Amino acid sequence: MVDRPLTDRSTPEQLLGRFGLQAFRAGQRDAVQAALDGRDSLVVMPTGGGKSLCYQLPALDDSDPTRPLVVVVSPLIALMSDQYARLEQAGVSAAMLASGQAEGNNARAHAAIEAGEVRLVLAAPERFASQRFRDALSTRRVGLFVVDEAHCVAEWGHDFRPDYLRLHSAIEALGRPAVMAATATATPRVAEEIVARLGLREPLMVRSGFDRPNLTFDVISLEGKGAVARKRTTLLHALGGANARPAIVYCGTRKDTEEVCEMLRVEGMAAVAYHAGMSGPERQGAQSAFMQGEAEIVVATNAFGMGVDKADVRTVAHWALPTSLEAYYQEAGRGGRDGEPARALLLAARYDLGRLIKFNTSRDITVDDVRAYVARLRSASSDGAAVELGYGESDERGRVLLSIAERAGAAILEPGSGGGLRVALTGEGSPRAAAQAIKAAKDRGWEAYRAIEAFIASGMSCRRRQILDHFGDHEPCSPHVRCCDVCEPDPDLVEASRRSPSAVARSRGNRPCAVEQASLEPVDDRDFERLKAWRMDRSEGKPAYTVAANAALEGILRARPANVDELVAIRGIGPAFCERHGESLLQVLAEL
């Protein structure tokens, strides 16, 4: 940075006051000071620990007359959008470049950067494959280069992104500004790899601790006959409490996501589904419904949550085992970001390990597989030199093959149209480099499998302690709430995990639960379509399921309520529904 008298420099406290805040959280001040001093840093803070403030405040520093630019790289478009809105509200001039933006957005952002009109740039990592973007940045002095979600640069991380491998050269091309690498899920080995891959120079290591003292960790083992049914009853019990929602339920497959979501709707809970098989507008509608409180629960694959900042999530439940302990802790950490008590519930059935084994074995790839994949891309290309892959066009195996092809030098990835990828085929490539990448990916996958298997099997050791040890945090556990199922079991939750669905139904007065709905008599198809049309009209452009689930509509047709009192007694229909839609629905029923 430009030398200035120390008395002229902004202090972290002064910058914090401009954001209207009174005090720093642990580690934040040190990270901000390092940025102001032009020093590299590795900032490791838990989810919700306030990493974004560490690089937003330096953009407010007006004491440097050259007004250097802060460049923030993040793969999380939802988080970037949220940060962009907050920066604008705080009076910080910013620009954002990512796929899926409105037409002309990137061109306007380039012009604003070159004109010196912005102090902070938010960009997805693939932007650095664009020479136009690099040229725009080169017109400014970059004072701080931030790599958010920095574990994505590490092949030993749980969320490796090939695009992140370009960042080291981008940093050098910009004159090697100070670099801040920020992450919530870096084990000691991942931290070392981040430092090496980004070329950090004597970085300040800021580790605020991995513990989330307001989270309770419950792991419920479900084995033997009826395990799936008991998993359902356990989840229903956990989400049934007055303080259990809003909630996120993570599933391992799209099929489970849809089925669990429907089960919760039948139970009268306002739930939405979210997975990569849904269209963009459907996903956006589900996320919006959850964020705005129209839905209390989102049931999702790990496609959901990347950058979603909802502070008041009270429960994060895992219906299926996550692929790694790092992924589990990152997802569980989306609960209780407001500092209030929250629960992380892992429904651990050993049969779920088979899915993880299948996931790893399906990634058994050979060098010949990579060659064949590159050949298919070449045949799909009009000129044999490049091919466009649309957004979401590649499956998991295709993405792995593409990643290995890039690391082997056989392909160069660039931003494509509509959020897709342009794959330039080099006609070259190193089989040895491909083999090394394949072996590293396999080793990582099995190590992650062994870690999550050990976590669910270790029923005699504190869950919190196991997590902290995994991340190299050896500070004493200091929960503000009940610690975990090992230290202090929840007897009601344990009892629920042992009960059959029929026992749960009897406890509710013999009302059928979701797993028993199939035995109910069918409804008239024409009447059902009429109610669905009514529901669509009442949704006012929002997802139809935010009005009522299919199961609730079927229950209405079976019961044929004549008044609001009879309507509210139907499963899946509550007072809020009756207040908003009751009279309209009763009128439609009278016309059937």
Side-chain angles (χ1 to χ4, degrees), residues 216-222 229-241 244 315-318 328 342-348 463 482-486 488-500 504:
T216 294
F217 296 93
D218 282 313
V219 178
I220 299 296
S221 296
L222 298 147
R230 285 183 282 111
K231 183 186 279 193
R232 292 187 181 106
T233 60
T234 307
L235 181 63
L236 291 174
H237 171 83
L239 298 180
T315 303
V316 177
H318 280 81
Y328 167 70
R343 166 185 269 170
L345 171 65
L346 176 56
L347 301 172
R463 308 289 184 188
R482 182 174 64 84
C483 180
C484 68
D485 63 288
V486 175
E488 188 180 348
D490 179 345
D492 292 335
L493 188 66
V494 172
E495 174 62 25
S497 71
R498 296 170 178 167
R499 300 165 72 189
S500 67
V504 175

Side-chain angles (χ1 to χ4, degrees), residues 380-392:
S381 169
S382 59
D383 58 3
V387 63
E388 288 271 350
L389 296 178
Y391 176 80

Side-chain angles (χ1 to χ4, degrees), residues 177-219:
V179 178
M180 177 186 292
T183 180
T185 53
T187 62
R189 176 164 54 183
V190 169
E192 290 177 4
E193 191 174 351
I194 291 171
V195 171
R197 285 194 175 275
L198 293 178
L200 301 186
R201 301 176 298 195
E202 298 182 358
L204 175 70
M205 308 297 284
V206 179
R207 296 177 69 93
S208 65
F210 278 88
D211 198 3
R212 292 288 306 282
N214 62 315
L215 292 187
T216 294
F217 296 93
D218 282 313
V219 178

Side-chain angles (χ1 to χ4, degrees), residues 319-393:
W319 176 263
L321 296 178
T323 55
S324 69
L325 203 52
E326 291 93 334
Y328 167 70
Y329 196 48
Q330 185 177 57
E331 290 163 2
R334 294 186 178 117
R337 296 183 69 166
D338 56 3
E340 296 299 315
R343 166 185 269 170
L345 171 65
L346 176 56
L347 301 172
R350 291 195 67 83
Y351 63 76
D352 280 337
L353 290 173
R355 179 180 56 86
L356 300 187
I357 292 173
K358 182 179 180 181
F359 176 75
N360 277 334
T361 54
S362 69
R363 299 178 73 172
D364 282 349
I365 290 171
T366 67
V367 173
D368 285 340
D369 291 332
V370 180
R371 286 196 183 100
Y373 179 74
V374 173
R376 290 196 299 273
L377 292 179
R378 191 175 303 281
S379 65
S381 169
S382 59
D383 58 3
V387 63
E388 288 271 350
L389 296 178
Y391 176 80
E393 187 174 320

